[in-house]
Amino acid sequence: MRKMSSQSLFETKILKVDPNSIIFTANAHIDGSLPTFTDPQSEAAIREASEILKSSDNTVAFPTETVYGLGGSSLNDNSVLSIYRAKNRPSDNPLITHVSSIDQLNRTIYGVKNLKDGSTLNNIPEVYHALIKKLWPGPLTILLPVPSQEVGTLSKLTTAGQATFAVRVPSNPIARALIAISDTPIAAPSANASTRPSPTLASHVYHDLKGKIPLILDGGPCSVGLESTVVDGLCSPPMLLRPGGFTYEQIIALGGKSWSNCKVERRKTLEDGEKVRTPGMKYKHYSPSAKVMLLLPSGSSSKQEKIAKLKNLIKEQCQENKDNYKKIAILTSSQLAGLSVEDLEPESGPLLTIESLGIRGEEIQANLFAALRKADEIDLADLIVIEGIGEQDEGLAIMNRLLKAAGNEYISF
Ligand code: TXA
Ligand code: MG
């Protein structure tokens, strides 16, 4: 790998991979069968990435169905350190380990040798069985007890000293193939620079990590668009620690009896001295450079009233900032759907751009991070105004991300 000058450690390469060219058998996520490829270039790119993961301490960015991840071996302290370094991530925020199959989890993390039955769920507490049977591969992350030193070789740095480690089996074929072919459990946080919005396109990763990592696999846009749902079934009642790609309603409906009273972790900050349950929650996250103003529709006012209120809010913001705002981006969802620049009758003042995030929860979550980044990095907006949605279904995860992007503040309108 050619090394560059002091600021740039690598000449970051981007290799395209066609996810449709990777074929898994129906039980591969259980028994660990390897995929076949119909496109030699895609196969070569995945083999090149897997060589980096197996034979160096370096990291590789790759698409998952949720967001792009920055992967390194979960078994190797130096790889995990490379992840923290490239992202500038605080080292007390633990990482999710990604495996391609239950078989791989048993062999590589729990040290089970001579597996007769690769599909055994012996190492996974029963509380999770119904959920993982229905939702893996996919955006569900579970917490498991860290294996004892004698059997396990998981790097302590992935768990940041917690007694549990987080694990999931992603469904994106590129992620699955990379993990299966390298036969290495992969620690992978989102592949953004720490504090920035998560990446849903290879170009987002390149923007943040150019020169800091050797390779990005480009598999196009991520279909889900925000991160996996993190659940803890080891505590009573079970907790939803981070809302994500599967909704709270789905966890309740599919998890079986133990999950019927699952609680949602809602605290945004920690009291002094309080033990961190999910360390990610205490950090600044999903933040563009622009100021973010989150609007929460109250439901009672008409669209005309909402538009009038929005006009006033923009005026106030411009006055507060002594008319220094040159560009304002407005991201709409359902209540302001169809809003046009003319509706806001700007006579003078900042340039306004309006972008629709979509109407349905699934659309909004798929577009959210890309729209935030476009407004920030391409349109160079000074202020981003976002229309939020209700917290049911996908709304819980969407509002979790939007509230963080807006520094936990919102305006009802
Ligand atoms: O969808 C995803 O989960 C993506 C893709 C790449 O798979 N990854 C991701 O990783 O979002 P990251 O590092 O950005 O977020 C991991 C979250 C953090 O909030 C972290 O605090 C929590 O999982 N976490 C990890 N291990 C934990 C543990 N042992 N106990 C509690 N929370 C944990
Ligand atoms: Mg992240």
Side-chain angles (χ1 to χ4, degrees), residues 4-224:
M4 306 283 287
S5 67
S6 55
Q7 300 99 326
S8 288
L9 288 171
F10 301 97
E11 193 170 16
T12 304
K13 199 153 100 172
I14 303 181
L15 294 177
K16 283 219 182 314
V17 183
D18 174 6
N20 298 316
S21 73
I22 305 169
I23 296 147
F24 283 94
T25 54
N27 274 338
H29 66 289
I30 299 170
D31 63 26
S33 308
L34 293 176
T36 51
F37 295 86
T38 58
D39 169 35
Q41 269 185 349
S42 295
E43 177 171 2
I46 287 189
R47 292 202 182 275
E48 183 170 336
S50 99
E51 248 344 278
I52 295 175
L53 294 173
K54 278 194 301 188
S55 62
S56 80
D57 299 334
N58 293 328
T59 60
V60 168
F62 61 96
T64 80
E65 68 281 16
T66 59
V67 300
Y68 275 73
L70 180 62
S73 167
S74 284
L75 307 178
N76 173 353
D77 285 350
N78 288 328
S79 300
V80 180
L81 284 173
S82 297
I83 297 174
Y84 282 107
R85 202 177 309 121
K87 279 187 60 111
N88 199 17
R89 177 179 173 113
S91 62
D92 66 343
N93 191 4
L95 304 175
I96 297 173
T97 286
H98 298 66
V99 291
S100 56
S101 65
I102 305 282
D103 168 78
Q104 192 185 56
L105 176 78
N106 289 330
R107 284 185 298 103
T108 62
I109 296 186
Y110 286 97
V112 181
K113 299 206 170 62
N114 305 320
L115 258 189
K116 286 195 199 71
D117 174 14
S119 65
T120 180
L121 293 183
N122 283 355
N123 292 306
I124 300 179
E126 205 182 331
V127 63
Y128 294 121
H129 289 189
L131 280 178
I132 64 174
K133 280 181 190 160
K134 289 169 190 142
L135 301 180
W136 275 2
L140 172 75
T141 296
I142 62 173
L143 299 192
L144 295 178
V146 173
S148 72
Q149 280 300 102
E150 300 83 70
V151 292
T153 48
L154 198 62
S155 162
K156 277 207 178 67
L157 302 176
T158 63
T159 61
Q162 310 260 327
T164 56
F165 73 102
V167 66
R168 79 181 190 98
V169 180
S171 63
N172 179 296
I174 299 170
R176 287 176 72 187
L178 175 66
I179 306 164
I181 286 183
S182 51
D183 200 19
T184 307
I186 303 293
S190 46
N192 51 283
S194 198
T195 80
R196 306 282 303 160
S198 301
T200 54
L201 289 172
S203 59
H204 299 157
V205 181
Y206 191 73
H207 176 274
D208 281 18
L209 302 182
K210 174 176 177 249
K212 298 187 169 163
I213 60 173
L215 177 62
I216 302 170
L217 295 180
D218 180 356
C222 300
S223 56
V224 175

Side-chain angles (χ1 to χ4, degrees), residues 243-311:
F246 287 123
T247 65
Y248 172 75
E249 288 83 351
Q250 285 172 304
I251 301 293
I252 298 274
L254 301 176
K257 206 165 137 258
S258 334
W259 293 88
S260 60
N261 62 345
C262 168
K263 294 278 169 293
V264 180
E265 176 65 89
R266 280 188 181 275
R267 284 170 307 168
K268 304 197 169 61
T269 52
L270 291 169
E271 310 292 321
D272 273 354
E274 190 181 354
K275 189 155 182 321
V276 178
R277 288 188 65 91
T278 191
M281 76 187 216
K282 70 180 180 190
Y283 292 108
K284 182 173 169 189
H285 211 345
Y286 313 113
S287 310
S289 315
K291 177 175 176 186
V292 175
M293 192 167 90
L294 176 59
L295 305 180
L296 211 56
S298 60
S300 54
S301 54
S302 68
K303 185 168 175 189
Q304 281 323 308
E305 288 167 326
K306 287 191 164 64
I307 292 174
K309 181 121 188 234
L310 177 59
K311 272 188 344 203

